[in-house]
Structures are given as C-alpha cells and as structure tokens.
Amino acid sequence: MESMGNTVLVPSCTEARQIYFGLLCDEPDELVVERSRSYLVELLQSAARNEADLPQSLDGLAAWSTSNAVHAGAQYRQYLDERKSGGARRYFGTKSHALYFLRSVAPTKLVDGAWLYGLLSHWGDTRFSPLIQTYLEELGRGLPDKNHVLIYKKLLAAHGCGQWDTLSDAHFVQGTIQLALARHAANFLPEVIGFNLGYEQLPLHLLICAYELNELGIDPYYFTLHIGVDNVVSGHGAKAIQGLFDALPHIADKKAFYQRVVNGYKLNSMGVGTNSVIEQFDLYKELLSILAARCCVGAQLHSDYGRIAGKSVNQWLSDPAQLPAFLDSLQQTGWIKRHQAPERSRFWNLIQGEHAEMFGVFNAYERQVVSDWIAGDSVEGQTRQPLSYKDKRCLFNVLSTCKDSSYVGEGLESFDDFNMELRLLENKLGDLSDKDATMATLVKLMSPVHHHTDVGLMATRVFTRLLDNG
C-alpha cells in the first residue's frame, strides 16, 4: 500500500531522520535503539486513533485484498483511457518533477523490505516461511539486478538524485518505521505482519508512476518489478495474508493479535505519502533552492568583467535573496529565453555539454530542473522520447548473473583488493560445519545495512540455497 495520502505528522516526527541514520549502522547506539522503540510505540498510539479499511473479520481478508487489486486495476484502466483521449499526465508535469519524486521517497525505498528483517533469524520456523520468502525476494535472492535497494540506488545515481539525506524529518518517517520494526520484531510481531499486509497491496499510484516515468524517459524497472511481485494471486500480496494466518496464535487471543495487526497496518499512513510528495513540487522554488546552494562558492569564482543589469555575477550571488531578481535580469538581457528550447539560451549552454564553461557545476537532476524551467510552456522544450520496450535495456541488467563468480561453491578465480571480502566470507563459511552457525553468520550480512553490498548479496544467495535445500 505504502503511504499515499497527504502528510500525516505525529509528535515525534522531528526525530525521524536522526533515528533513521542511527539505526543504519552495524552496532547502533543503545540510546538510539531504545529511542526507536519508544518512537514506534508513539506512532502506534497515534495510528490506533485512525480508521483502517481492513475487514473486521480475518475471514474477509482474501476477498478484501482481491477487491483492492480489482479496484486499482479498474482505476488504472480509466487512467489509460483518459491518456488515450489526450489527457495530461496525472502525476508528473515535467521530468524534473518525476526526479524530485524519486529523490523525495528515497529514504523509504532505500530500506525496502527492512520491516521483515527481524524474522530472518527464525528461518527454521515454518510459520514465517511466506514472510521470509518475501524478504528474500525484496533482496532479489542475492542477484544484483533484482535487489530492490540496489536497483533504486542505481536509479538515483543515474539521474543525479543522490543528495537526499537533507530531506525533512517527515520524509524519513516511513523508512524509520521499517528500520524500527526490523530492530524490535520480537516485541512487535503482529505489527510487523500488519505493516507488511498493507505495504504489499498493489496501489494505483505504483501503476501510474511506472507509466509516466517510462513516458518521461526514466527507467521504470523498480516500479514495474513491484507490480509483478506484489500480485494478490501468487506474489507478496498473497504471501502477506498467508503469513498472517500462519502466525496466528493457537492459545493466545486471536482477536487481540489481529487488533495489533490492524494497528501495524495503519503505520503505512504515517509520514509523507506519494500524493503529498508529488503535490509539494514547485519548479521555480526548486530552481531557487538549487541556485542558493551554489551561492556561497559561486559568489567568489566569477570574474568581474561581465555585468548583468549593472552588477557582476559575484555581486548577484552574494545574497540568495537576490536570486529572483537575478533570474529576471537574465531573461531581460537575453541570457535566458523562457518558453523556448533550452539550447537557445546562452545560460543553458554554459552549464550543458562537455565543453561548457560551467561543466560539472550542476548534476543531472539540477540540470533537468534548469532545463524544464527554461522550457516552460514550450512544446519543443518539453518533448521526451519514451523508453521503448523493444529497444530498452534496463539500466540495471548490465550485470550478467550467469557469469557471476562470487557464488559460494563456484570459487573465486583470483584474490585481490576488489574481491577480498568475498573470499574472506567464502573461507569463513567453509570453516563452519554447523548449519545454525552458518545461517546466523549469513543473517547478519542480510540486514538493511549490508544486503545490497557485494558480501550481502553473496550471503543472500547462500542463505537462499541453504533454505531451499532444507
């Protein structure tokens, strides 16, 4: 489901970012761990006051899930009909708008699946098999081109969206929930199951995002991958319900357990949702923010020869409050020609191209913001070439898994600084004769901190093989 609606703030929202990064390390500080538990309790207390669309009876869950999927499909069909009739994109007005969204949801996407990590050490308990399988699939079962976090990291890097750590606390709430559930699963098992139940439902926004990203020339693979794996027939949606039923208590109160599941489900509505992130985008404000970040350095680096409206560039950049007037002056003097193709503006040609005088000053995302703002209402400037399924090679499939030499059992052909950790892990596992000790070693490397690294991917592959082979 993911958080979809408007921002839902809670009293402790201001701590989300600090707790998030505090948990994303090998050995979190005990104060951070304890604060994350209290934070989770506070969020659950707040969530408990909200309504949920879950059925009151466990018996209605399968029908509820199917109904949600059918409803999302019908809404998506309506969306497609609107687009075919000439309707505009519903979510992203420009490519920079879409990239803004990708960056804004990064704190959540980069811990994808984390909420289930706490179950991994119980791999021998068949009650949790559906949920553990879900976690393994979030990790791509150890394949680099299927690991959800790695896919998203590469997507951000491809478009210069890697600077997301300074986002507001509200952007970190969902990711912090997931990391806190991972850390405290032993005391919040029903809530973990409930959160998973909500997160693994197929939402309409996932379908629309994939369609519009592709239309804007952004590889939608991360999103299309989720459309497939979250299906309610055999995918994570089905496993979420099966995992709930498998974990139901036999002696304890089932109704009380289910109520805790419902509260965990409600956690999906906390923080900044997809729709609110999209609505927050303001192209002009984003442009000013990008330029303001350059002022402290840029104000010292320009010569005083050229003047714009009587001021040198250094003088314009000496105070970020002057940036709106500076942009107006650039337009009045012809340096920027709004509502035309960016290539017609002298300013654009200073920042774009290998031989541009300001090459490297702005990253790909920032250049896209500048480009879209200059283009404005120009059809010529906004034309995009959608990715063709015939010609598209997913950016993330360049790694040939069939040639991967880092599988345990196949051996590493050479030993050097690049594969040293893989060799060390291979040797360490080779020295372990006890399966429990082997699995415990692997579980540590499959945490939200490590699973997308080389050793984490290798550990996931080995863990999956051992689990599948009984």
Side-chain angles (χ1 to χ4, degrees), residues 15 47 65 106 125 155 187 208 249 314 338 349 355 399 416 418 430:
E15 296 184 84
S65 182
D125 191 332
L155 178 62
N187 300 114
I208 295 178
N314 286 340
R338 289 292 315 281
N349 292 317
H355 300 292
L399 294 173
D416 56 35
F418 292 102

Side-chain angles (χ1 to χ4, degrees), residues 243-261:
L244 168 55
F245 278 97
D246 287 354
L248 283 174
H250 296 286
I251 299 176
D253 189 341
K254 285 185 173 63
K255 288 185 178 179
F257 185 92
Y258 183 54
Q259 184 54 57
R260 290 179 61 186
V261 168

Side-chain angles (χ1 to χ4, degrees), residues 110-295:
L110 292 177
V111 292
D112 200 357
W115 64 92
L116 290 173
Y117 173 68
L119 303 181
L120 207 58
S121 59
H122 298 274
W123 54 270
D125 191 332
T126 56
R127 292 179 300 164
F128 306 120
S129 294
L131 301 179
I132 289 175
Q133 287 297 329
T134 295
Y135 185 70
L136 293 177
E137 287 164 13
E138 296 284 346
L139 273 54
R141 298 174 71 88
L143 300 180
D145 62 334
K146 293 295 187 291
N147 180 284
H148 294 187
V149 170
L150 190 55
I151 290 170
Y152 206 80
K153 285 173 71 73
K154 291 185 176 181
L155 178 62
L156 293 176
H159 296 283
C161 298
Q163 296 177 336
W164 52 269
D165 57 326
T166 57
L167 291 167
S168 74
D169 280 281
H171 290 84
F172 286 87
V173 170
Q174 275 293 303
T176 302
I177 289 171
Q178 296 179 24
L179 292 171
L181 289 172
R183 175 64 57 171
H184 302 288
N187 300 114
F188 296 92
L189 177 60
E191 289 80 8
V192 168
I193 293 172
F195 183 83
N196 182 69
L197 179 64
Y199 206 93
E200 297 298 354
Q201 301 306 307
L202 179 63
L204 174 64
H205 70 77
L206 191 66
L207 299 164
I208 295 178
C209 280
Y211 186 92
E212 296 192 1
L213 289 173
N214 181 68
E215 196 172 35
L216 288 164
I218 301 171
D219 197 318
Y221 180 56
Y222 175 87
F223 297 87
T224 56
L225 177 64
H226 281 76
I227 292 171
V229 300
D230 288 349
N231 78 83
V232 299
V233 178
S234 60
H236 293 181
K239 288 185 174 71
I241 294 177
Q242 185 62 51
L244 168 55
F245 278 97
D246 287 354
L248 283 174
H250 296 286
I251 299 176
D253 189 341
K254 285 185 173 63
K255 288 185 178 179
F257 185 92
Y258 183 54
Q259 184 54 57
R260 290 179 61 186
V261 168
V262 172
N263 288 339
Y265 172 88
K266 293 176 183 178
L267 288 175
N268 282 278
S269 66
M270 294 290 160
V272 176
T274 294
N275 291 341
S276 57
V277 165
I278 292 169
E279 292 166 2
Q280 287 170 3
F281 180 72
D282 183 305
L283 181 59
Y284 183 60
K285 287 183 179 179
E286 190 69 5
L287 174 64
L288 291 177
S289 175
I290 290 168
L291 294 177
R294 299 295 187 279
C295 281

Side-chain angles (χ1 to χ4, degrees), residues 28-89:
D29 185 277
E30 283 301 318
L31 291 176
V32 172
V33 173
E34 182 54 37
R35 184 64 197 117
S36 68
R37 189 183 189 282
S38 301
Y39 180 82
L40 194 54
V41 170
E42 291 174 22
L43 288 174
L44 284 166
Q45 290 172 344
S46 179
R49 296 191 291 269
N50 299 334
E51 296 295 326
D53 63 345
L54 285 172
Q56 299 205 353
S57 169
L58 284 161
D59 295 335
L61 277 174
W64 164 83
S65 182
T66 300
S67 175
N68 282 344
V70 171
H71 183 59
Q75 288 181 302
Y76 184 56
R77 176 51 54 190
Q78 181 181 3
Y79 165 82
L80 293 177
D81 289 342
E82 291 173 0
R83 297 303 309 280
K84 288 178 181 177
S85 299
R89 286 187 295 273

